[in-house]
Amino acid sequence: MRLSRSLSITSLSGLPLWEEESLDMQDLLLFEVSWEVTNKVGGIYTVIQTKAKITVDEWGENYIMMGPYYEHNFKTQVEKCEPPNQAIKAAMDSLINNGCQVHFGRWLIEGSPYVILFDIGAAAWNLDRWKGDLWNACSIGLPYHDREANDSLVFGSLVAWFFKELTDQLQDKPNVIAHFHEWQAGTGLVLSRSRKIPLATVFTTHATLLGRYLCAGNADFYNNLDKFNIDQEAGERQIYHRYCLERAAVHCAHVFTTVSQITAVEANHMLHRQPDVVTPNGLNIRKFSAMHEFQNLHSMNKAKIQEFVRGHFYGHLDFNLEKTLFFFIAGRYEFSNKGADLFLESLSRLNYLLRVQKSDVTVVVFFIMPAKTNNFNVESLKGQAVRKQLWDTAQSVKEKFGKRLYESLLRGEIPDMSKILDRDDFTIMKRAIYATQIVFHPEFLSSTSPLLPMDYEEFVRGCHLGVFPSYYEPWGYTPGECTVMGIPSVTTNLSGFGCFMEEHVSDPSEYGIYIVDRRFRSADESCNQLTQFMFSFCQQSRRQRIIQRNRTERLSDLLDWRYLGRFYMHARHLALSRSFPGKFKMDHLNLAPVSLSHSLRCTLMHSHFPRSLTMRT
């Protein structure tokens, strides 16, 4: 493999060598606080869920997650049990005795971590008092109409209250580490620090709040990072109070981390603090591991997609499915942020190149971007029903044909082919052929769908190429999921995943990771580059694609939490050394601050590149 560094833990640049240091986990408790513990909202849910196994392996029963309580989620995802630690039980009882509802159990995911869930609604009667506490602590006021911000305050106040009760019970041993994710959980961090609760705190932003809003509004974000009036921009979008909560959490934390170098640049400008550690997002590779079977899984799931395509193009299937490639894009319906605009324009140019070259390759593209829908298109259902009816008809006629042929041969006769099928058989086939339908592709993927009965993982395995030319993507799990399943993908150097691969793999395209330059090129040049990537992929032979899938799958270990989880370990060690310097030392470690020099080149460019393309009609 032509890699600049070997695929081992030491290949990850900037990772300190702390193997010499061993912490006694019996003297520590680790809490991870997030709004998405047992509560799927976005990508953070994937981060904490997939990371749980390696964290439990490291910390055992001393690792507890904290999140909001929702009755349905608790009943379906959590096994209720008693806390193993008496101090935790006493802290929970204190809250319960004061009118709050707190639930404890094991989250039914791999690793089965303990979870403490706080009922937001049951404690909402404290909202006005807690708003006053927040104002007195940091002069941040929350408007009554922002339900999400008010819920985050109730959640954060309960978390801070719990930590106060817990540390009072524990005194000085064991010490407590609290890791908070995103601004919704950050309120608990701010209140804990303002009350001088003895905690080692880590705060991780997975994307800055204002960054998302600016990019969603088609701002020329990366060219103007150092020019935005942050307070004014947040105020105009009526999120100033949320921005203040996020920034307060960033500056109150002992250790501030973010998920990628590109987001570190963003955070440095938006939140005015340089991250101490970059903590890349990993995956639980064992979940996707298929060993030598992943090529067979590709063939099996490709066949399912081909069946869908037969129904979708029924009546005008004028191309060879064996020479058809399946591309897809997936993610939130953020047309510009996710690069759907660039992708559509590139497909137009790809179509032109394929026609000029008289290529016999057909490309079928799927947009998997969930949006509001009422129900399935009736014509879509009819189209798939017709395909199934054609299959059933062919099978029925085949059985009759085979039986009559067999009987003729038993009699020692050469069958008269004109009499093998009777008039009724021809009538059945004609009735099936002339039912022309138009098929619409649904946006959600589920194995129970009557249109395309496949889960997302099966669908990805059946495709040939994932295309994710995002403009704003702090990490990007979709190309990572493609990689661990052995499916080549397109990403950009404005995504955390793309920057990570550029840093650690000498020639990513050789391993099926195509990185579009959206940082230093104009939108038109980026579009041409994406077109060329896709056109080159279309020119590969079947054997070349198989070899490339093998090479892509080899990169899986680079994305495994067993390796990337070490960055989180580093952040916790650093937090302990800063909060309890008399007990925890890191002097002997090769600590290096996050380097922004390479990433900051994007803000020093003199050339301007447009935010998006003007689409051709």
Side-chain angles (χ1 to χ4, degrees):
M1 297 173 66
R2 292 192 294 168
L3 297 178
S4 57
R5 306 175 182 89
S6 63
L7 285 180
S8 65
I9 187 60
T10 56
S11 73
L12 303 181
S13 63
L15 192 65
L17 303 174
W18 58 72
E19 287 82 353
E20 303 169 16
E21 167 127 344
S22 60
L23 289 177
D24 186 356
M25 300 305 176
Q26 297 303 316
D27 290 337
L28 292 169
L29 287 174
L30 171 62
F31 291 87
E32 196 150 11
V33 189
S34 171
W35 189 258
E36 298 199 35
V37 171
T38 76
N39 177 40
K40 185 174 177 60
V41 178
I44 301 172
Y45 179 90
T46 304
V47 175
I48 59 178
Q49 182 197 41
T50 56
K51 186 169 60 68
K53 176 64 167 63
I54 63 121
T55 313
V56 170
D57 289 345
E58 180 190 0
W59 288 81
E61 294 190 346
N62 288 8
Y63 172 59
I64 301 99
M65 293 184 176
M66 305 171 78
Y69 170 82
Y70 291 98
E71 184 178 8
H72 174 73
N73 293 344
F74 189 80
K75 287 182 176 179
T76 57
Q77 299 183 47
V78 180
E79 180 183 33
K80 189 174 183 178
C81 65
E82 288 295 315
N85 186 303
Q86 288 306 308
I88 292 175
K89 187 177 189 308
M92 289 176 55
D93 289 342
S94 179
L95 268 69
I96 293 170
N97 293 335
N98 281 279
C100 303
Q101 293 185 20
V102 187
H103 304 265
F104 190 92
R106 283 191 180 275
W107 190 4
L108 300 177
I109 58 175
E110 191 171 2
S112 300
Y114 286 125
V115 292
I116 299 174
L117 304 177
F118 300 93
D119 192 324
I120 308 301
W125 57 275
N126 293 289
L127 180 60
D128 288 339
R129 177 166 63 88
W130 286 341
K131 281 188 176 182
D133 291 344
L134 181 67
W135 177 261
N136 293 331
C138 54
S139 301
I140 298 175
L142 302 184
Y144 73 91
H145 56 77
D146 190 339
R147 173 70 180 273
E148 189 175 5
N150 289 327
D151 283 351
S152 75
L153 173 59
V154 175
F155 177 53
S157 299
L158 289 168
V159 168
W161 186 359
F162 172 84
F163 280 137
K164 178 66 169 68
E165 297 292 340
L166 177 66
T167 52
D168 286 348
Q169 291 282 333
L170 295 172
Q171 295 302 315
D172 193 35
K173 191 174 182 179
N175 293 116
V176 177
I177 307 171
H179 190 150
F180 299 82
H181 292 267
E182 285 295 290
W183 71 272
Q184 293 98 327
T187 311
L189 190 158
V190 174
L191 293 172
S192 295
R193 291 303 308 278
S194 68
R195 294 168 187 173
K196 296 181 169 54
I197 299 174
L199 301 172
T201 57
V202 181
F203 182 77
T204 297
T205 181
H206 296 257
T208 68
L209 194 61
L210 189 55
R212 282 199 184 279
Y213 274 83
L214 287 169
C215 288
N218 286 332
D220 186 9
F221 187 62
Y222 293 102
N223 281 322
N224 292 289
L225 270 176
D226 56 344
K227 300 179 182 67
F228 288 117
N229 184 327
I230 306 300
D231 292 337
Q232 179 182 337
E233 296 288 351
E236 289 177 351
R237 288 160 178 78
Q238 299 183 11
I239 58 165
Y240 186 69
H241 55 288
R242 294 188 182 192
Y243 163 73
C244 288
L245 285 174
E246 179 183 41
R247 184 167 168 181
V250 166
H251 287 270
C252 284
H254 291 106
V255 171
F256 171 45
T257 83
T258 189
V259 297
S260 64
Q261 285 285 353
I262 195 71
T263 315
V265 177
E266 176 187 340
N268 197 39
H269 286 85
M270 297 288 110
L271 301 171
H272 300 289
R273 180 176 176 182
Q274 181 174 313
D276 300 292
V277 185
V278 169
T279 52
N281 290 337
L283 286 163
N284 186 350
I285 302 303
R286 288 178 59 187
K287 172 188 174 183
F288 299 98
S289 178
M291 300 302 287
H292 303 297
E293 282 296 304
F294 77 93
Q295 294 284 7
N296 293 334
L297 289 173
H298 169 71
S299 297
M300 290 166 51
N301 291 301
K302 182 179 70 173
K304 293 181 183 179
I305 298 175
Q306 288 175 333
E307 283 303 301
F308 168 80
V309 169
R310 288 187 176 98
H312 185 85
F313 294 101
Y314 164 70
H316 49 93
L317 188 64
D318 56 354
F319 52 88
N320 185 353
L321 277 176
E322 293 304 315
K323 293 185 178 181
T324 297
L325 301 178
F326 300 129
F327 295 0
F328 80 99
I329 183 173
R332 287 185 299 274
Y333 192 71
E334 297 175 1
F335 194 72
S336 186
N337 281 358
K338 295 299 181 184
D341 51 354
L342 191 77
F343 188 25
L344 283 171
E345 176 63 23
S346 297
L347 287 173
S348 172
R349 300 180 187 187
L350 175 64
N351 185 62
Y352 172 78
L353 288 178
L354 291 174
R355 289 181 178 276
V356 167
Q357 297 292 329
K358 294 183 168 44
S359 174
D360 58 357
V361 171
T362 300
V363 176
V364 174
V365 180
F366 295 87
F367 279 71
I368 312 298
M369 289 185 162
K372 291 183 179 180
T373 55
N374 293 322
N375 48 39
F376 288 114
N377 186 313
V378 174
E379 296 302 313
S380 303
L381 296 171
K382 285 182 179 179
Q384 295 302 322
V386 167
R387 180 196 61 75
K388 187 176 185 306
Q389 181 186 6
L390 286 170
W391 174 259
D392 293 342
T393 300
Q395 293 298 311
S396 173
V397 172
K398 183 180 75 172
E399 288 180 9
K400 288 183 181 180
F401 184 93
K403 184 177 180 181
R404 292 167 186 167
L405 177 63
Y406 174 64
E407 290 172 349
S408 291
L409 293 175
L410 282 178
R411 292 193 298 269
E413 301 173 358
I414 299 297
D416 184 349
M417 303 307 288
S418 63
K419 296 179 180 179
I420 285 290
L421 299 179
D422 56 30
R423 181 175 298 176
D424 289 341
D425 295 327
F426 282 103
T427 301
I428 291 172
M429 288 190 289
K430 288 178 180 178
R431 191 182 301 130
I433 288 173
Y434 296 142
T436 305
Q437 304 294 333
I438 298 173
V439 178
F440 169 78
H441 185 270
E443 51 227 1
F444 291 99
L445 287 175
S446 169
S447 58
T448 59
S449 169
L451 291 168
L452 182 56
M454 301 179 73
D455 286 329
Y456 180 72
E457 181 181 335
E458 295 175 321
F459 175 79
V460 172
R461 289 190 184 277
C463 287
H464 296 90
L465 183 70
V467 184
F468 315 103
S470 302
Y471 179 81
Y472 185 77
E473 193 72 79
W475 178 251
Y477 259 122
T478 41
E481 289 167 339
C482 286
T483 301
V484 300
M485 287 186 269
I487 302 301
S489 62
V490 178
T491 183
T492 75
N493 59 358
L494 289 182
S495 76
F497 176 84
C499 293
F500 182 82
M501 283 298 174
E502 275 190 326
E503 182 180 358
H504 295 292
V505 181
S506 60
D507 186 359
S509 62
E510 288 292 314
Y511 295 86
I513 309 293
Y514 300 95
I515 300 175
V516 176
D517 186 355
R518 295 200 68 176
R519 187 188 296 178
F520 304 113
R521 297 191 183 193
S522 69
D524 187 64
E525 290 172 331
S526 298
C527 187
N528 285 333
Q529 186 182 22
L530 175 56
T531 304
Q532 193 56 50
F533 282 155
M534 293 190 294
F535 183 64
S536 298
F537 188 86
C538 291
Q539 291 180 310
Q540 291 182 1
S541 66
R542 182 172 179 271
R543 179 177 175 79
Q544 287 173 322
R545 291 197 303 271
I546 290 173
I547 293 172
Q548 188 178 58
R549 282 197 295 272
N550 282 325
R551 295 170 68 83
T552 301
E553 199 270 344
R554 289 181 203 166
L555 295 179
S556 295
D557 283 346
L558 198 58
L559 302 174
D560 196 333
W561 273 124
R562 290 178 300 164
Y563 298 154
L564 300 185
R566 303 295 183 92
F567 287 96
Y568 278 84
M569 294 180 191
H570 174 33
R572 295 174 203 133
H573 288 213
L574 189 57
L576 284 170
S577 70
R578 290 178 176 178
S579 56
F580 307 110
K583 295 179 64 175
F584 301 94
K585 302 288 186 183
M586 297 187 72
D587 296 340
H588 70 283
L589 299 179
N590 298 323
L591 297 179
V594 174
S595 172
L596 300 184
S597 57
H598 174 72
S599 300
L600 281 172
R601 284 186 294 159
C602 65
T603 66
L604 302 177
M605 292 169 55
H606 297 293
S607 59
H608 173 83
F609 61 94
R611 174 66 177 79
S612 61
L613 289 163
T614 301
M615 301 304 298
R616 297 189 300 191
T617 57

